[in-house]
Amino acid sequence: VMPEVDDVEVKVDPNDCEITTARSGGAGGQNVNKVETAVHLTHKPSGIKIFCTEQRTQLKNRERAMQILRAKLFEMELEQQQQEMASQRKSQIGSGSRSEKIR
């Protein structure tokens, strides 16, 4: 489950993204074979790659891929903040070993 992210929280520069299109696979008949609706988005700074074929139109797939990218970037940022907090806590609190205890 990915968190839903607003546009305000994570800014993605369109110049950092490389967007290519492809034909989606699977059932769908002639429309699937002739229309390139699938979107392959690559975020260059982070190296995240997203392939989106959920919607029937390229525009909707592009928007959905950007939503997924923002959610992943937000999750990575949140994880990094939690690691920093954990390391700060660990440095303030000792290990609780016998040598640190007041006897």
Side-chain angles (χ1 to χ4, degrees):
V1 175
M2 301 288 285
E4 196 71 25
V5 183
D6 294 335
D7 291 336
V8 180
E9 293 182 28
V10 179
K11 296 287 184 187
V12 178
D13 188 15
N15 296 330
D16 291 343
C17 297
E18 183 179 321
I19 299 174
T20 57
T21 58
R23 293 189 178 104
S24 350
Q30 185 178 3
N31 188 53
V32 171
N33 296 331
K34 70 176 185 173
V35 181
E36 292 194 352
T37 56
V39 174
H40 190 196
L41 186 137
T42 305
H43 188 245
K44 294 175 188 173
S46 64
I48 296 174
K49 295 181 180 181
I50 298 167
F51 189 74
C52 186
T53 59
E54 293 177 5
Q55 305 293 329
R56 284 185 57 103
T57 65
Q58 190 182 103
L59 183 63
K60 287 182 182 178
N61 278 331
R62 187 175 299 182
E63 290 173 2
R64 181 67 181 139
M66 289 298 278
Q67 278 182 340
I68 294 169
L69 176 66
R70 281 194 297 271
K72 285 187 177 188
L73 289 173
F74 179 74
E75 189 176 301
M76 286 173 56
E77 192 175 304
L78 196 65
E79 189 176 310
Q80 183 182 12
Q81 288 176 353
Q82 288 174 349
Q83 286 178 351
E84 288 175 7
M85 279 187 117
S87 66
Q88 285 178 354
R89 274 196 198 121
K90 205 163 210 157
S91 67
Q92 291 174 359
I93 300 172
S95 63
S97 64
R98 183 179 169 94
S99 62
E100 291 181 348
K101 292 183 180 175
I102 300 172
R103 290 181 257 168

